[in-house]
Amino acid sequence: MTWFLGEFYPSFWWIPATVLAAALAIKLPTIIRFRGDPLLLAVGGLLLLALAVFVFVAPSTIAWVNRVTGVPNISAPWVYSLLTAFCASCLLLIIIWRGGPADRSAATRRAVRRVVGAYSGVIVALWVLFALADAPEERLRDLDTHYATTPFMREEILLYLLAHTTAVLITSNLIRNWVRTDGLDAWLRWGLKFLGAGYAMNLLFDAAKLTAVVARWTGHDLDRLNTDVAPPVACLSAVLIAIGFILPHAGQYLHERWRLRAAHRELGPLYALMRQAGGRRDAFAPFAGPELRLTRRETFIRDALLPLARALDEDLRHRAYDAARALGHPPERARALAAAVAIADAVDARRRRPGDPGRTADAPGTAALLREIGAVSRALRSPEALRAVRARADARDGGIRLAGGTGSG
């Protein structure tokens, strides 16, 4: 296992970097579209910081930064600063996210100021300590344990680990309390669960690092915790945290697209019937999004239904409603079935007599009919129920006509 990690270590860090870059790319269109949303901007900034951490912690990048600046191990305070800024961003995002973008309470503003002030001070201290330390030997993998007993570097390493641990503990506690709240959106709850798992892995990362450093202080060698355990734990933590932040937004986005596509499919039967009535079809738009396709289908149906509604047999519609109620259908379902029966009858009449405009006066229920196209389309998916309603309505009409004829005699 150690040999495998040793061989894989140089490219190990690019796995979470790739995942984070993909997550940022997924979020970028939404961030650009709603660039005024502070929450989306915060998520984008957090993902960018996390990506920067894993790019600059890779051994090849560490060596490049040291070589370009000409300062051995200057990557250490740079990576520590990025990690500290990432921790602060996570903490700030959870505080703002939980309160909502509109939360401007004194407690929230005070918490934000404390986090910004404390972690800005930590970053400044990291650079001051590095400037005071003597760390001439470049270390690409084991700097934390190699310089664990070196004056000022010792304090710098301990400072960044304690700052990271503190942020992780506070953030984990906030997430744990939040996920127990009633009424959370399902996608948000799952996102918080992934975040909780990611921060739990971060605690393992801190524990491994601190144990290895303290072991050096006491004259023991547990460097494997620093070089072989902490890196994969950090990578897994980054992946889980990225999923946690992306899942609520991506899930809601996918849910909305599914809803639009489902509504588009739901209107299929009524759309097909209106094509029979109008003799034309909606314009083909292969690259249109689901929202535009749904709008076009709704517009086509209403445009075709409006003139047809004036030719509806309102007597048939009332008889069909009574028939549907007699068959045990609830009022809303009965209205939809009655409208579907009347519309199908009008379409059939127009096909038989294409030159006959039929009734031209506005039907009293036209506005309601245009609003209920979804329910009518769902009713058209039940041909057996429609046939039963139509048969009962026709039988009632025959009974009425027979009773009228008997009375006139």
Side-chain angles (χ1 to χ4, degrees):
M1 181 67 176
T2 303
W3 173 86
F4 173 76
L5 288 173
E7 293 293 319
F8 196 42
Y9 192 94
S11 57
F12 194 77
W13 304 98
W14 297 107
I15 296 174
T18 302
V19 174
L20 290 164
L24 184 60
I26 290 171
K27 288 301 301 173
L28 195 58
T30 306
I31 294 171
I32 294 173
R33 184 179 177 186
F34 301 103
R35 50 186 174 273
D37 188 334
L39 191 57
L40 284 174
L41 290 175
V43 172
L46 185 142
L47 290 173
L48 187 61
L49 275 173
L51 174 61
V53 168
F54 282 96
V55 167
F56 283 98
V57 82
S60 58
T61 311
I62 291 174
W64 178 81
V65 171
N66 293 339
R67 184 174 65 254
V68 168
T69 59
V71 180
N73 298 313
I74 198 172
S75 283
W78 173 242
V79 171
Y80 296 162
S81 297
L82 286 174
L83 185 59
T84 301
F86 170 73
C87 292
S89 297
C90 290
L91 194 50
L92 289 172
L93 182 58
I94 294 298
I95 292 171
I96 297 171
W97 194 4
R98 185 175 184 182
D103 184 14
R104 296 292 185 270
S105 65
T108 299
R109 292 198 303 269
R110 188 163 53 250
V112 169
R113 285 196 300 269
R114 286 176 177 174
V115 171
V116 172
Y119 280 85
S120 296
V122 169
I123 291 173
V124 171
L126 289 172
W127 286 97
V128 171
L129 289 169
F130 180 78
L132 295 173
D134 182 21
E137 184 182 352
E138 183 182 63
R139 309 299 297 188
L140 302 181
R141 292 185 53 180
D142 62 345
L143 183 142
D144 290 350
T145 48
H146 183 80
Y147 287 110
T149 57
T150 301
F152 298 111
M153 282 300 292
R154 172 184 57 218
E155 288 77 9
E156 175 168 13
I157 294 165
L158 183 61
L159 178 61
Y160 102 82
L161 286 175
L162 290 179
H164 184 265
T165 303
T166 301
V168 170
L169 286 172
I170 296 173
T171 308
S172 297
N173 186 57
L174 289 173
I175 291 172
R176 184 169 59 253
N177 292 335
W178 191 8
V179 80
R180 293 172 180 172
T181 305
D182 295 332
L184 287 183
D185 175 79
W187 291 106
L188 176 57
R189 190 179 297 278
W190 274 106
L192 291 172
K193 288 180 178 180
F194 274 100
L195 284 175
Y199 283 104
M201 297 300 294
N202 258 327
L203 288 175
L204 291 178
F205 167 84
D206 291 326
K209 286 273 188 178
L210 284 168
T211 302
V213 168
V214 172
R216 277 296 186 111
W217 294 350
T218 59
H220 298 84
D221 184 357
L222 294 177
D223 289 6
R224 285 185 178 182
L225 292 176
N226 178 44
T227 57
D228 297 343
V229 176
V233 169
C235 292
L236 180 57
S237 170
V239 172
L240 291 172
I241 289 174
I243 294 172
F245 279 118
I246 290 299
L247 190 61
H249 302 284
Q252 290 165 5
Y253 169 77
L254 293 174
H255 176 74
E256 179 63 16
R257 289 182 68 89
W258 176 87
R259 186 191 66 79
L260 292 171
R261 292 183 184 278
H264 185 270
R265 288 194 303 270
E266 181 184 69
L267 292 174
L270 186 55
Y271 170 70
L273 187 61
M274 291 302 96
R275 283 183 56 193
Q276 296 177 25
R280 59 188 180 89
R281 61 177 298 164
D282 190 13
F284 180 63
F287 300 108
E291 186 173 9
L292 179 58
R293 291 177 62 199
L294 176 61
T295 301
R296 286 183 172 181
R297 175 159 287 189
E298 289 175 339
T299 302
F300 172 84
I301 290 173
R302 290 191 174 98
D303 288 346
L305 189 58
L306 185 59
L308 189 68
R310 297 168 183 163
L312 292 183
D313 186 341
E314 286 300 316
D315 181 59
L316 172 62
R317 188 174 175 182
H318 291 310
R319 286 187 282 109
Y321 175 79
D322 292 337
R325 292 291 289 141
L327 290 170
H329 295 286
E332 290 186 5
R333 175 68 170 169
R335 279 196 298 271
L337 289 167
V341 167
I343 292 171
D345 178 76
V347 171
D348 187 55
R350 177 167 291 187
R351 281 204 306 264
R352 293 196 307 267
R353 300 183 298 275
D356 182 7
R359 299 170 179 80
T360 56
D362 288 342
T366 298
L369 181 62
L370 294 176
R371 290 194 302 268
E372 297 171 358
I373 56 176
V376 175
S377 189
R378 288 193 298 271
L380 288 170
R381 292 184 180 274
S382 306
E384 292 184 2
L386 290 173
R387 282 194 294 269
V389 169
R390 180 61 192 260
R392 192 177 184 94
D394 287 344
R396 184 169 180 267
D397 180 47
I400 292 172
R401 289 179 183 275
L402 182 60
T406 303
S408 64

